[in-house]
Amino acid sequence: NSELPGMFNKLVYSLRNLKHSQMVNVYYNIKNQRTKKFFEDALPLLKTDAGISLMRDVIKSGQLPEEIVNTWFSSLAFYKNPSRAMLTVLSTFIDHDAPHSALLGISGLASTFCTSNTNCIEIAEMKEVLTKFELLLGTSCETENQKEEDSMVLVLKGLRNIGQMIDSKDILKRCYQTKTNPMLVRVAVIETIRQWQLACHFSEDDEGLVELFKDKQEDSELRINAYLALMTCPTEKIIDNIKTLLKDEE
């Protein structure tokens, strides 16, 4: 047992040198379950294209416990130098049935990728990831039950992590304006707009957030978030509007 940590480190470093086909061959020929567990623990630590590809294969086979799957996806946020190939592989998980850990883990990895790549939104693999996230918003973030509501909030958090958008401005506006949407979803939309620091896209020549802040029938948390989003990138017109509104604010 005292030798296990050193042996495990050797395993990780050795696996980093293998191609995907070699790793597949090794993994599926392990008969001892304890040995296989060591291999599975090492897999998310490889941070290689081949490792990610095998993780995808194993997860999609459905033979892993949910706990390990969640751990694997969570580890993605700690990848320091994600590749375009990793984005291609991981984008296959972004759909309506994606585990919550997948949405957060993949968006975390995508955020790291954008940190290292200027104009990442112009890269085809990154554009594919963003497009799939935006498709999950539907036409106005509509949900029918608690499960869908929780997933929608996670999709919005994923977009917030990435900090980019392609074609979702109008959709996000409908999301926070649709009064039948759950309050949690509407607040999450505005928090995404605000934390993106892309509020300029929503404040310039767009009265949506101002109208939301002006409506005293709306929930106070929603109005406060609208105010904060507006003040992230205020124009002179917005400042004048806010001054007028605050005079009559209780």
Side-chain angles (χ1 to χ4, degrees):
N1 282 337
S2 63
E3 296 176 0
L4 278 177
M7 293 173 68
F8 184 75
N9 282 337
K10 283 184 180 180
L11 173 65
V12 171
Y13 284 112
S14 298
L15 290 174
R16 282 177 179 161
N17 295 317
L18 297 186
K19 298 177 181 177
H20 176 245
S21 58
Q22 294 172 314
M23 292 184 67
V24 169
N25 187 46
V26 172
Y27 180 73
Y28 287 103
N29 278 291
I30 299 173
K31 304 304 179 186
N32 183 285
Q33 287 304 309
R34 186 164 182 260
T35 305
K36 182 162 281 193
K37 179 67 168 62
F38 279 120
F39 191 104
E40 290 169 353
D41 287 344
L43 205 47
L45 302 177
L46 305 186
K47 302 176 182 178
T48 63
D49 294 349
I52 288 285
S53 294
L54 182 56
M55 285 167 66
R56 185 237 0 241
D57 297 344
V58 178
I59 290 172
K60 287 190 176 288
S61 72
Q63 63 190 48
L64 282 182
E66 183 180 354
E67 182 182 349
I68 294 179
V69 171
N70 289 337
T71 301
W72 280 11
F73 278 127
S74 298
S75 73
L76 298 176
F78 302 101
Y79 281 41
K80 292 182 179 178
N81 298 295
S83 67
R84 295 171 66 165
M86 290 181 185
L87 293 175
T88 298
V89 170
L90 293 171
S91 67
T92 62
F93 288 104
I94 306 171
D95 56 36
H96 288 286
D97 297 320
H100 291 177
S101 57
L103 296 174
L104 291 179
I106 295 169
S107 64
L109 182 139
S111 174
T112 304
F113 181 84
C114 282
T115 301
S116 306
N117 293 272
T118 308
N119 297 325
C120 67
I121 199 170
E122 301 299 325
I123 297 172
E125 292 84 353
M126 186 66 221
K127 193 174 287 187
E128 175 71 9
V129 169
L130 264 175
T131 299
K132 287 196 169 186
F133 265 98
E134 290 184 342
L135 282 172
L136 296 180
L137 296 174
T139 56
S140 58
C141 298
E142 60 275 8
T143 59
E144 294 184 358
N145 50 53
Q146 186 64 50
K147 182 181 178 183
E148 289 185 5
E149 180 181 333
D150 293 341
S151 293
M152 186 60 67
V153 170
L154 264 294
V155 170
L156 290 162
K157 284 185 177 179
L159 284 169
R160 193 186 314 164
N161 283 344
I162 299 171
Q164 304 282 344
M165 69 175 176
I166 297 174
D167 194 28
S168 56
K169 179 183 175 181
D170 291 339
I171 294 173
L172 289 170
K173 184 177 179 181
R174 286 195 295 273
C175 289
Y176 72 70
Q177 286 183 325
T178 303
K179 296 191 176 186
T180 53
N181 278 343
M183 189 56 58
L184 193 64
V185 171
R186 297 177 74 194
V187 169
V189 173
I190 298 177
E191 285 178 343
T192 297
I193 293 169
R194 175 185 160 206
Q195 292 194 19
W196 264 349
Q197 295 190 349
L198 290 175
C200 298
H201 292 277
F202 290 83
S203 59
E204 190 176 354
D205 300 323
D206 187 345
E207 296 291 322
L209 290 171
V210 173
E211 292 301 318
L212 185 60
F213 175 60
K214 188 187 296 185
D215 189 350
K216 295 184 179 181
Q217 301 302 312
E218 288 284 11
D219 185 275
S220 58
E221 185 179 3
L222 197 64
R223 295 183 65 221
I224 289 169
N225 275 282
Y227 169 81
L228 293 172
L230 285 165
M231 299 305 281
T232 301
C233 185
T235 61
E236 187 174 349
K237 181 180 178 183
I238 285 173
I239 293 293
D240 288 339
N241 271 326
I242 295 291
K243 279 171 61 179
T244 303
L245 291 168
L246 288 178
K247 286 178 182 177
D248 299 323
E249 185 64 41
E250 294 179 4

